[in-house]
Amino acid sequence: MARKTIIEECDVLVVGGGMAGTGATFEARHWGRDLKIVCVEKANIDRSGAVAQGLYAINCYMGMQWGENQPEDHVRYARNDLMGLVREDLGYDMARHVDSTVHMFDEWGLPMMKNKQTGRYQREGKWQIMIHGESYKPIVAEAAKKSADKIYNRIMITHLLMDETNENRVGGAVGFNMRTGDYYIFKSKTVIVAAGGASHIFKPRAVGEGMGRTWYAPWSNGSAYALPIQAGAKMTQMENRIVLCRFKDGYGPVGAYFLHLKTYTQNANGENYEKKWYNQTKELVGEYIDHHPTPTCLRNHAFVQEVMAGGGPIHMVTKEAFQDPHLETVGWENFLGMTVGQAVVWASQNIDPKYTNPELTTSEPYVMGSHATCSGAWVSGPEDLSPPEYFWGYNRMTTVEGLFGAGDTVGGSAHKFSSGSFTEGRLAAKAAVKYIQEQKANNIKVSDKQCEDFKTMIYKPLENYTVGRNEITGGTVSPSYISPIQGLQRLQKIMDEYVGGISVNYMTNENLLKKGLELLDWLQEDLENVGAEDYHQLMRAWELKHRTVTSQCVTEHTLYRKETRWPGYYYRGDHMKLDDENWHCLTVSRRDPKTGKFTMEKMPVYHIIDEKEKKEAS
Ligand SMILES: Cc1cc2nc3c(=O)[nH]c(=O)nc-3n(C[C@H](O)[C@H](O)[C@H](O)COP(=O)(O)OP(=O)(O)OC[C@H]3O[C@@H](n4cnc5c(N)ncnc54)[C@H](O)[C@@H]3O)c2cc1C
């Protein structure tokens, strides 16, 4: 079938218009007044990404103007929460700029809550400030729309184009419009990937009629990882998946409950179960259990152990706080801003938290680089902070020339959240413009053949379906193709059972991981035969392919790190203890684009912040 092809040439191409993508689009215009800036989004940037529904708090704000926190404090906080392993150059760089981002949100009209006594932003916790955030995403989208030459909505990017004169330099991206089916070629001097994290790679707790209900955005399908991985970019800390403790069945957030409402957890007998697991945890991780605040994974660990020991269900004690009418209102409003579904779940289960303590649970694992976890691309840091192993010319550039990342895409720098992701988008865009201005993007060659080959590949699932359905004599199951949902469930089962998901209480080991890799290989092969009956299913097919590549990378990393660094996120049953002697390092992988094989290496962790202070003191 003849298909329309649209070719767009630009200087800066932003893939994904979520928090990081809108930040990148906005900042690219500031530094590149005369450049052509294009943002391509799978949904519609007004309501896309993890912040689509809104947020109730901005989780990363230093408050430097009031002396509340300094970037150094944030680096120490993130390092502690990630059990010692973060890229401190990236974290510091984000933290020193994040306040200016939040001040712009304020100027742009985001309703911020203020402390009536001090006039400062209302704190929810040490790092969080409270907002009326239903309009958060449309506000940042407006800034991007005013900055871009063009925003393309409803286009899913499936592949990066590569320069044919330098195989390690990017040349743009291709994708398709999910409504019209048109093929889009974006030839670009630089590409900033800001395509969010990865949900639905592990089997979710919500299956059957609840399928699609996840904690992280269900449409975050790992493109942020698959695109750079397939282009041969190095990745880091992909084993560091995150498991969240959330209100059961609705995945409602607990941050405001702990921090603002001062609610607390207890087991079914009303006991503080966390204390019970102190000695056992100390055996596994040593002094890390004595750190303050207790690292998120270790709190999860106590939860998981208590449930396995028969102490469940675990409850959030809300009955006390909800006696205060103000706190009761805050408790409910917390969901209205971002997870209204939790209130609906409670209504359906007859739970009024004023009279019944609601249940908590631990989620299936997710992969992302902006929340309390740091999976993602291995990128260059800023020139003034980064040691040689962390610096190769342009801030937030991956190991592929001209290919930048921001937000969930970037590894090693946890706790950026919405404001930090927008900030990182700004940093990446500034560097991308510099890369162009310094003539690093000259003479990129992308042939028609490369674009035509991708076109054939992208639409193949439609072809598979059109041909294969003729073989079906009854029902919907084809002997020749699998549907995206069948492929997704197969992927989730492999990841769940072999790579440490919910049904095995996050446990895995070398044998399981090797078997998982083998099964993922078979799945990859079968995905050549995925069938799509329409453009929406074509999107599902490509989401699945991106999720599968991401999963392979996660599994390779999990196999490589021979210790249990983050009990509560996952366990290596054959190496149950944290091993600082051998594994106080970052893991880095690269997939060879020609062979599809991964190679792994260790990279040093530099505690830059404290070393800097020691030097200044001496
Ligand atoms: C449930 C939940 C609660 C959170 N709570 C808070 C909070 O209270 N406070 C806070 O500060 N932060 C919070 N966060 C974190 C915050 O939302 C993220 O840190 C931030 O959105 C990450 O930015 P990003 O741009 O990397 O990803 P996103 O904002 O998710 O944007 C990614 C974008 O890429 C698009 N995309 C994906 N694939 C493709 C493709 N192939 N082609 C084109 N486009 C594509 C997506 O549609 C999306 O628009 C929360 C996140 C979640 C999920």
Side-chain angles (χ1 to χ4, degrees):
M1 180 181 140
R3 207 173 290 286
K4 211 162 135 189
T5 297
I6 291 105
I7 303 176
E8 176 76 90
E9 300 207 9
C10 57
D11 297 299
V12 180
L13 177 69
V14 180
V15 177
M19 286 310 292
T22 49
T25 309
F26 168 79
E27 192 77 9
R29 173 61 66 219
H30 179 83
W31 299 99
R33 296 263 154 216
D34 53 347
L35 297 185
K36 186 160 181 193
I37 298 151
V38 169
C39 175
V40 190
E41 164 59 47
K42 188 170 76 163
N44 182 313
I45 71 162
D46 281 339
R47 283 282 171 201
S48 70
V51 178
Q53 199 181 127
L55 294 178
Y56 195 66
I58 289 177
N59 280 354
C60 185
Y61 179 72
M62 302 297 113
M64 282 183 272
Q65 61 174 326
W66 299 306
E68 291 177 335
N69 297 293
Q70 296 303 326
E72 289 83 353
D73 305 325
H74 192 265
V75 170
R76 289 192 195 98
Y77 164 66
R79 178 208 294 160
N80 175 52
D81 198 43
L82 274 289
M83 307 287 281
L85 308 186
V86 285
R87 279 276 302 271
E88 298 191 7
D89 57 333
L90 299 178
Y92 186 90
D93 192 32
M94 178 281 297
R96 67 181 164 181
H97 294 292
V98 73
D99 283 9
S100 72
T101 290
V102 173
H103 299 160
M104 287 196 307
F105 295 162
D106 195 352
E107 279 169 34
W108 294 342
L110 180 66
M112 320 283 290
M113 295 191 205
K114 299 266 169 69
N115 181 315
K116 289 201 180 73
Q117 270 85 47
T118 62
R120 299 178 185 180
Y121 296 135
Q122 174 70 51
R123 282 277 175 199
E124 183 187 79
K126 188 169 166 56
W127 305 104
Q128 300 82 353
I129 54 172
M130 296 170 80
I131 56 173
H132 294 286
E134 187 275 339
S135 56
Y136 197 179
K137 190 66 213 303
I139 287 172
V140 296
E142 193 180 333
K145 284 194 269 190
K146 286 185 171 151
S147 307
D149 285 272
K150 188 139 178 86
I151 306 269
Y152 285 92
N153 287 317
R154 305 284 171 204
I155 292 178
M156 179 174 183
I157 294 296
T158 55
H159 301 85
L160 295 173
L161 290 167
M162 299 303 285
D163 176 18
E164 283 157 44
T165 63
N166 171 355
E167 63 173 10
N168 194 41
R169 186 164 69 160
V170 79
V174 292
F176 65 97
N177 184 304
M178 291 164 317
R179 296 285 158 88
T180 63
D182 294 341
Y183 179 52
Y184 278 80
I185 301 168
F186 299 95
K187 294 187 178 175
S188 184
K189 291 180 178 162
T190 57
V191 179
I192 302 172
V193 174
S199 61
H200 274 306
I201 65 172
F202 285 85
K203 188 170 112 192
R205 288 209 186 268
V207 291
E209 89 291 352
M211 202 186 124
R213 185 81 200 108
T214 57
W215 168 74
Y216 214 61
W219 46 80
S220 292
N221 67 287
S223 295
Y225 311 118
L227 292 170
I229 291 170
Q230 293 183 137
K234 290 187 176 179
M235 306 299 287
T236 190
Q237 299 296 92
M238 291 296 282
E239 69 277 25
N240 177 223
R241 78 291 292 275
I242 188 172
V243 168
L244 287 301
C245 166
R246 287 291 179 270
F247 285 115
K248 190 165 179 298
D249 298 337
Y251 295 90
V254 294
Y257 278 70
F258 280 129
L259 298 169
H260 195 68
L261 276 64
K262 307 285 182 234
T263 60
Y264 54 92
T265 58
Q266 63 185 25
N267 69 8
N269 302 321
E271 297 160 346
N272 173 346
Y273 60 90
E274 285 192 14
K275 280 200 301 204
K276 280 169 58 180
W277 297 100
Y278 173 84
N279 289 337
Q280 188 255 19
T281 313
K282 190 147 188 152
E283 275 286 296
L284 297 178
V285 300
E287 52 93 25
Y288 286 88
I289 185 61
D290 298 319
H291 288 199
H292 291 285
T294 307
T296 312
C297 63
L298 299 184
R299 297 195 68 185
N300 277 358
H301 173 67
F303 190 122
V304 173
Q305 297 306 306
E306 182 65 18
V307 171
M308 279 166 65
I314 306 294
H315 291 111
M316 181 75 101
V317 181
T318 51
K319 286 200 282 191
E320 294 161 16
F322 271 61
Q323 300 311 314
D324 175 337
H326 168 67
L327 295 183
E328 184 184 14
T329 307
V330 173
W332 284 108
E333 280 184 355
N334 186 233
F335 297 142
L336 294 180
M338 59 176 155
T339 317
V340 72
Q342 185 65 55
V344 179
V345 167
W346 281 352
S348 74
Q349 296 176 350
N350 203 24
I351 293 170
D352 180 344
K354 196 171 179 177
Y355 306 109
T356 309
N357 293 327
E359 260 181 73
L360 296 166
T361 192
T362 50
S363 74
E364 61 278 3
Y366 304 92
V367 180
M368 67 198 62
S370 73
H371 212 273
T373 181
C374 62
S375 306
W378 179 246
V379 298
S380 175
E383 193 168 3
D384 62 330
L385 285 175
S386 309
E389 291 95 330
Y390 296 176
F391 179 72
W392 46 96
Y394 295 92
N395 203 358
R396 267 63 176 186
M397 190 168 84
T398 68
T399 53
V400 170
E401 291 169 42
L403 178 63
F404 293 77
D408 277 327
T409 308
V410 167
S413 51
H415 289 276
K416 294 176 285 205
F417 293 99
S418 59
S419 46
S421 296
F422 191 96
T423 306
E424 199 168 49
R426 295 176 60 199
L427 294 167
K430 183 180 176 185
V433 170
K434 186 162 175 257
Y435 176 89
I436 295 169
Q437 287 166 346
E438 292 179 352
Q439 314 297 323
K440 293 289 180 352
N442 294 351
N443 306 320
I444 295 173
K445 185 174 171 251
V446 173
S447 66
D448 290 348
K449 180 173 183 312
Q450 188 181 163
C451 299
E452 277 308 306
D453 288 350
F454 278 133
K455 187 176 179 183
T456 310
M457 207 185 286
I458 288 172
Y459 294 100
K460 187 160 178 268
L462 291 175
E463 179 76 13
N464 289 343
Y465 176 83
T466 311
V467 175
R469 72 178 166 174
N470 294 323
E471 297 166 358
I472 302 175
T473 49
T476 53
V477 177
S478 159
S480 300
Y481 65 77
I482 58 168
S483 66
I485 187 69
Q486 288 168 332
L488 181 67
Q489 287 174 348
R490 183 164 148 197
L491 170 69
Q492 291 175 345
K493 186 170 157 62
I494 297 168
M495 294 302 284
D496 182 56
E497 292 174 358
Y498 293 95
V499 193
I502 46 171
S503 43
V504 291
N505 290 310
Y506 314 104
M507 180 64 73
T508 184
N509 64 34
E510 183 169 335
N511 292 323
L512 287 164
L513 290 162
K514 284 186 172 158
K515 183 70 191 171
L517 280 173
E518 190 190 320
L519 293 174
L520 286 171
D521 269 348
W522 294 128
L523 175 62
Q524 275 286 10
E525 200 177 290
D526 286 348
L527 289 185
E528 283 304 305
N529 300 315
V530 69
E533 61 188 281
D534 53 28
Y535 297 134
H536 189 75
Q537 288 302 310
L538 187 62
M539 174 192 76
R540 290 281 184 246
W542 281 102
E543 286 184 339
L544 172 61
K545 285 168 187 257
H546 285 185
R547 282 188 166 106
T548 305
V549 173
T550 303
S551 300
Q552 283 180 316
C553 190
V554 168
T555 310
E556 293 278 1
H557 273 256
T558 312
L559 177 63
Y560 185 63
R561 184 178 283 285
K562 293 184 176 41
E563 64 160 353
T564 300
R565 170 70 44 171
W566 306 278
Y569 287 172
Y570 76 94
Y571 301 88
R572 275 288 303 253
D574 44 354
H575 300 280
M576 276 299 281
K577 288 195 176 184
L578 181 146
D579 176 3
D580 255 344
E581 209 176 303
N582 296 301
W583 290 99
H584 196 88
C585 63
L586 300 165
T587 55
V588 172
S589 66
R590 181 175 183 271
R591 178 184 175 277
D592 184 330
K594 293 196 183 93
T595 63
K597 296 278 172 247
F598 284 83
T599 44
M600 302 292 312
E601 63 185 311
K602 290 181 179 179
M603 281 295 196
V605 174
Y606 289 115
H607 296 304
I608 300 167
I609 296 311
D610 292 327
E611 278 157 22
K612 185 170 144 248
E613 282 186 0
K614 263 188 234 153
K615 257 190 223 153
E616 281 163 8
S618 65

